[in-house]
């Protein structure tokens, strides 16, 4: 029995220590391991033939679904609270509280000012509620989509009429304690189970132990004393390690090879896996690169705000002498620097991307994977079913000399027909081809004795059959090299002769020739079992001294869509690498047919000889990785990541699960193995590379629209603060009241709510994109001051042409310190809002806006509406109450000239920036 010493630290508190507080699944697992099958059936009120449907329904109603609620969205009220748990929203809440104390609580009766608080609360509400609505709707849509992907279990149930028990596929969630389940390669263990019968059963417990090597499980525990004497139990029976129990399998683990039948002893939260999920506080998903990127940018902007706001406060306080007014204005500047719509923009973009992908039959299990999809620059994929049609056809059945031999097909049919494991495409092809030829190639009178199921190390499948005279025959088929390793003779016509080195070389050469023609090749070998050696149970070490009988050649033609999809992915900067357990020669041929340059393939045995540094170097220039084990696939993925790539992995088999888990984006298909679907971030309801190309585009559109908001808001905010600093040092009053800044930000932020529906330039979508906080900071420092240039010209314009300066001096003569301020406030409010809104169009593209690239209709409408509202406010009935005055109509001609100058300068600086840094565009 394989020991798992690393898991013991995890299992403290879950062992059967007398008198201690116990977790139900741990006690049950230990008790049932030492019980007989009959005793376990009594404990769970089960039957060897299975439960009746009525019993199953009653238990389901009583104990609930077989689910561990780790992937469900929280209650809507919790989601609502989480929507406001964001640094920017918290900053606004703090500012609102300070504003309340300064403008209401400590204000004199009759001088209380609620406008600022109302605006801040409106901003907080819009940001939080819209984010909540987007995430709530996304969670509902995700649950609906996930219902399309069913993980099932094979259960045995008794009909009510007392007839023979039947096996049926049901959703794992419908399993109940006492059910009898049947397992084979590729299945997830659906609950905590006690084995009844098993054959060569190997279970991967990596999800619980972290150990990658599978362990063998079997249906007999034996006495505790015997196993303790053998060193299989660590100390007393009470300290038995749960995961070492050989006849107990735990929910969440998966079958690597073999088959079994078992009794369900615990379901849902009563399983060991469920107890861990319930008791381990750190049961949170690991922070993704997307989360880290958003957080790094968020804190960059917050740090900027924490530096600039005190500077504004000090300058205004020192120059104007009114420290309370300076505080109020500084708080308004802080609001202006806060991109409070970022949480909503991020959520809306991700949700929109997920919905768009759902229309293409793509289930997004985790929203953040949408952006990771767009950042992907290397796609690792299997060959079968992705590059090829996933429809294997048996083309030839040859003897060792390459001549057609129906005897080889008969042996292959006996092997494929009688194997009870997970039939692969080649087994199906053998059976279908034999059905086409008829009964002459389907020997009768044979019954199955035993089998050694396929696994990814031996790479062969053996079946032992017995004829009516009691003669047993072992028939094995598998990969050529692995078959030759256990063969000692060849069948040459009627003669059986020893397998010489010349014969071995000739067989390898012939198989390579078949591979070069595009065929997949299996070798068929047999061994007659003498009567004195006959038995009912066989092990893999019985696969020895085999006689090679001949070849099977299979054809899996490339998909018509593979070549154009690979070209499209290449155009979008995604390199495709093939990771397969198949032969490197045939893989290279298929790759050439679909437009991939195969280069020199790297095979699994060579990878095992490399350390991590050597592998990181090798993967840079390798396209084909062939004859890989599951762990080797995972090593290749990690090596690519170590080289700085964002790696996607497309796989649907049991052997793909480790790589799916380790990739930045794990992609599986609805028809894949249960463990593959459970591990993946994204599930395709249709296995097609063209779908992946569309996913890459949607991911980049999503990320691009998020970056737009960040870059626009950061640069505009920096420009506004720079303008405020200049105005505070020069003007006798603030260039805009705190209330005006709040109104300006409210109008601008509301207009940005439609950015998720903007389109991206095709050039932006051609390259993978990642978070770069330093680039955002550099962009902010370059682009921000361009608006300040025209803010300062507007100050001068309002001071001179429109009489703010004259009004100030006239007011001074009359003892009025604020004379002319309302003219300045009105003029700069309009100019600031129009320029800040126009910058959306300037910075959303690297091209010339409106002429070479135009925003989507929602963005055009929202920005136009924002400009119209801003221009109307000083002329509206609200003007007097908020401190605005009507401006002379000539102002708008000056505004037009200012905006033309601003757009020209912004486009010039943007062009220089792109040439120097490349930009985010």
């Amino acid at each position: 029995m394989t020991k798992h010493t690393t898991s013991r630290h995890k299992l403290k508190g879950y062992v059967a220590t007398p008198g201690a507080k116990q977790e139900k699944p741990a006690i049950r697992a230990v008790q049932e391991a030492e019980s007989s099958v009959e005793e376990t059936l009594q404990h769970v009120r089960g039957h060897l033939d299975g439960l009746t449907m009525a019993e199953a329904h009653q238990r389901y109603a009583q104990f609930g679904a077989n689910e561990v609620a780790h992937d469900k969205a929280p209650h809507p009220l919790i989601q609502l609270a989480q929507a406001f748990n964001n640094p920017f929203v918290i900053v606004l809440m703090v500012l609102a509280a300070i504003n309340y104390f300064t403008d209401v609580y400590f204000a004199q009766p009759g001088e209380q000012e609620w406008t600022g608080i109302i605006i801040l609360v409106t901003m907080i509400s819009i940001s939080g509620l819209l984010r909540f609505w987007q995430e709530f709707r996304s969670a509902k849509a995700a649950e609906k989509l996930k219902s399309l992907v069913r993980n099932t279990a094979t259960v045995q149930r008794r009909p009510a009429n007392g007839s023979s028990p039947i096996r049926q596929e049901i959703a794992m969630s419908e399993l109940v304690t006492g059910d009898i389940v049947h397992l084979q390669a590729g299945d997830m263990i659906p609950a905590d189970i006690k084995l009844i019968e098993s054959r060569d059963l190997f279970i991967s417990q990596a999800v619980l132990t972290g150990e990658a090597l599978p362990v063998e499980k079997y249906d007999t525990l034996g006495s505790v004393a015997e196993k303790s004497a053998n060193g299989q139990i660590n100390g007393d029976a009470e300290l038995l390690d749960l995961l070492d129990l050989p006849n107990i399998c735990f929910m969440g683990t998966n079958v690597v090879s073999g088959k079994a039948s078992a009794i369900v002893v615990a379901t849902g939260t009563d399983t060991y896996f469920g107890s861990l999920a319930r008791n381990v506080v750190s049961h949170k998903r690991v922070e993704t690169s997307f989360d880290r990127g958003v957080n790094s940018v968020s804190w960059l902007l917050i740090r900027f705000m924490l530096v600039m706001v005190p500077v504004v406060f000090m300058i205004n306080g020192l120059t104007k002498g009114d420290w309370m007014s300076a505080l109020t204005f500084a708080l308004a500047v802080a609001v202006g620097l806060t991109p409070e719509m970022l949480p909503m923009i991020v959520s809306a973009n991700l949700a929109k991307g997920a919905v768009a992908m759902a229309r293409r039959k793509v289930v997004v299990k985790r929203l953040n994977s949408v952006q990771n999809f767009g950042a992907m620059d290397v796609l690792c994929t299997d060959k079968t079913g992705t590059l090829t049609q996933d429809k294997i056809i048996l083309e030839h059945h040859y003897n060792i000399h390459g001549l057609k031999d129906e005897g080889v097909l008969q042996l292959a049919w006996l092997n494929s027909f009688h194997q009870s494991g997970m039939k692969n495409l080649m087994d199906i092809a053998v059976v279908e081809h034999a059905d086409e030829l008829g009964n002459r190639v389907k020997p009768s009178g044979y019954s199955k004795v035993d089998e050694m199921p396929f696994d990814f190390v031996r790479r062969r499948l053996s079946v032992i059959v017995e004829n009516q005279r009691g003669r047993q025959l072992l028939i094995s088929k598998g990969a050529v090299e692995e078959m030759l390793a256990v063969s000692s003779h060849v069948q040459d016509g009627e003669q059986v002769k020893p397998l010489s080195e010349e014969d071995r070389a000739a067989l390898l050469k012939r198989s390579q020739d078949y591979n070069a023609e595009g065929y997949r090749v299996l070798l068929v070998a047999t061994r007659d079992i003498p009567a004195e050696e006959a038995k009912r149970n066989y092990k893999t070490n019985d696969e020895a001294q085999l006689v090679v009988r001949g070849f099977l050649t299979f054809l899996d033609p490339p998909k018509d869509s593979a070549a154009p999809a690979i070209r499209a992915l290449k155009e979008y900067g995604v390199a495709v690498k093939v990771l397969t357990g198949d032969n490197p020669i045939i893989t290279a041929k298929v790759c050439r047919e679909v437009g991939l340059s195969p280069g020199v393939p790297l095979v699994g045995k060579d990878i095992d000889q490399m350390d991590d540094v050597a592998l990181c170097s090798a993967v840079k220039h390798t396209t084909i990785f062939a004859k890989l084990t599951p762990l080797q696939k995972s090593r290749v993925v990690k090596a690519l990541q170590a080289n700085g790539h964002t790696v996607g992995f497309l796989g649907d088999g049991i052997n793909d699960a480790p790589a799916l888990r380790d990739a930045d984006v794990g992609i599986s298909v609805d028809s894949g193995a249960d463990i593959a679907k459970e591990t993946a971030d994204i599930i395709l309801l249709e296995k097609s590379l063209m779908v992946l190309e569309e996913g890459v585009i949607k991911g980049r559109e999503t990320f691009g629209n998020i970056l737009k908001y960040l870059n626009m808001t950061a640069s505009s905010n920096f420009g506004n603060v720079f303008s405020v600093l200049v105005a505070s040092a020069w003007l006798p009053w603030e260039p805009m009241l705190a209330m005006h800044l709040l109104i300006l930000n409210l109008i601008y932020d509301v207009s940005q709510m439609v950015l998720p529906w903007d389109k991206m330039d095709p050039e932006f979508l051609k390259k993978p994109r990642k978070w770069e906080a330093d680039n955002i900071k550099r962009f902010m420092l370059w682009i921000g001051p361009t608006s300040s240039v025209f803010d300062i010209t507007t100050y001068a314009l309002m001071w001179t042409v429109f009489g703010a300066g004259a009004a100030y001096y006239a007011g001074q003569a009359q003892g009025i310190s604020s004379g002319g301020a309302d003219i300045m406030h009105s003029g700069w409010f309009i100019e600031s809002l129009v320029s800040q809104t126009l910058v959306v169009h300037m910075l959303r593209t690297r091209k010339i806006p409106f002429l070479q690239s135009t925003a989507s209709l929602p963005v055009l409408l929202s920005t136009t509406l924002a400009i119209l509202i801003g221009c109307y406010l000083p002329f509206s009935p609200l003007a007097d109450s908020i401190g605005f005055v009507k401006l002379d109509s000539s102002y708008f001609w000056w505004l037009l000239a200012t905006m033309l100058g601003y757009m020209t300068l912004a486009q010039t600086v943007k062009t220089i920036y792109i040439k120097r840094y490349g930009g985010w565009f």
Side-chain angles (χ1 to χ4, degrees), residues 84 106 162 218 230 236 262 281 406 475 553 628 642 668 688 695 697 725 754 773 844 865 897:
F84 291 90
F106 291 116
Y218 37 89
N230 292 335
D236 299 331
V281 176
E406 286 195 349
I475 308 169
T553 67
L628 299 183
S668 190
S688 167
I697 295 171
L725 289 175
V754 297
R844 60 168 296 278
L865 183 61

Side-chain angles (χ1 to χ4, degrees), residues 376-663:
M376 178 178 70
D377 59 354
V378 174
L379 172 66
C380 297
T381 177
D382 194 7
K383 173 175 67 66
T384 304
T386 306
L387 302 181
T388 60
Q389 292 182 11
D390 208 6
K391 174 63 177 175
I392 301 292
I393 301 169
L394 176 60
E395 284 286 297
H396 305 109
H397 36 90
Y398 291 144
N399 63 20
I400 63 169
H401 299 297
L403 302 175
K404 185 176 180 180
D405 187 341
E406 286 195 349
V408 174
L409 178 57
Q410 290 175 343
L411 293 169
W413 180 85
L414 284 171
N415 176 285
S416 295
F417 180 78
H418 286 102
Q419 74 106 345
S420 60
M422 191 181 197
K423 281 186 168 58
N424 62 34
L425 294 170
M426 286 183 283
D427 287 312
I428 295 170
V430 169
V431 173
E432 289 180 349
H433 189 65
D435 288 341
E436 292 173 4
L437 296 181
N439 290 333
R440 76 176 190 273
V441 295
K442 297 191 287 186
S444 59
Y446 283 88
S447 60
K448 177 181 171 182
V449 176
D450 199 8
E451 71 177 290
M452 281 81 84
F454 177 86
D455 65 50
F456 301 103
V457 178
R458 291 165 41 251
R459 294 170 61 80
R460 56 182 170 267
L461 164 69
S462 297
V463 171
I464 298 88
V465 294
E466 184 178 72
N467 65 12
Q468 293 171 339
R469 297 190 300 275
R471 172 179 167 255
Q472 291 187 356
L473 177 67
L474 185 152
I475 308 169
S476 184
K477 74 176 190 304
V480 174
E481 292 181 8
E482 283 76 3
M483 290 296 298
L484 289 175
V486 293
S487 298
S488 60
H489 293 75
V490 294
Q491 180 88 35
D492 190 356
E494 299 298 323
Q495 178 188 6
V496 175
K497 65 178 187 179
L499 177 64
S500 65
E501 288 303 317
E502 291 78 10
D503 292 329
R504 187 183 301 272
L507 290 170
L508 282 171
K509 176 65 167 58
R510 190 174 296 277
S511 71
Q512 290 169 358
D513 291 341
Y514 294 147
N515 289 154
E517 294 174 16
Y519 295 111
R520 303 176 71 175
V521 182
L522 295 183
L523 210 59
V524 179
T526 61
R527 179 163 71 87
D528 286 312
I529 301 173
E532 63 272 14
E533 296 181 14
K535 51 188 176 181
R536 309 313 294 181
N537 296 315
Y538 287 81
K539 298 294 183 183
T540 55
N541 56 13
D542 291 310
E543 295 173 321
Q545 303 296 309
L546 302 186
V547 179
V548 177
R549 303 295 294 269
F551 296 96
L552 301 173
T553 67
F554 300 85
L555 183 65
D556 185 10
K559 280 185 175 179
D560 294 337
S561 62
I566 287 172
R567 283 196 302 271
L569 286 170
K570 185 177 180 181
E571 288 177 6
Y572 286 99
V574 180
V576 177
K577 295 182 183 291
V578 181
L579 277 60
T580 179
D582 209 348
N583 185 291
I585 299 175
I586 187 170
T587 303
K589 183 176 188 301
V590 171
C591 287
R592 281 191 291 270
E593 291 180 355
V594 298
L596 281 175
S597 177
V600 179
L602 188 60
V603 296
K605 63 182 181 181
D606 294 333
I607 290 175
D608 281 339
Q609 304 302 316
M610 296 179 176
D611 60 20
D612 290 341
V613 175
L615 183 58
C616 285
S617 177
V619 298
K620 292 178 182 178
H621 311 292
T622 304
T623 299
I624 295 176
F625 302 85
K627 297 184 80 67
L628 299 183
T629 65
L631 292 181
Q632 289 164 349
K633 289 185 178 182
S634 182
R635 278 197 71 198
V636 171
V637 168
K638 289 179 179 177
L640 289 165
Q641 291 171 325
N643 288 341
H645 294 289
T646 301
V647 182
F649 186 89
L650 172 61
D652 61 357
I654 321 155
N655 56 333
D656 294 321
L660 284 167
R661 181 189 62 241
D662 293 331

Side-chain angles (χ1 to χ4, degrees), residues 211-251:
E211 296 182 13
L213 293 177
V215 297
E216 186 174 9
K217 299 279 187 176
Y218 37 89
D219 52 74
T220 305
L221 177 65
S223 68
V224 172
E226 176 189 351
K227 293 195 174 292
S228 182
N230 292 335
Q232 293 173 312
I233 295 177
N234 183 23
D236 299 331
E238 290 81 9
L239 298 178
L240 180 64
D241 190 332
L242 291 182
L243 299 184
D244 280 344
L245 293 170
N247 61 346
I248 297 292
C249 302
F250 294 93
M251 183 183 193

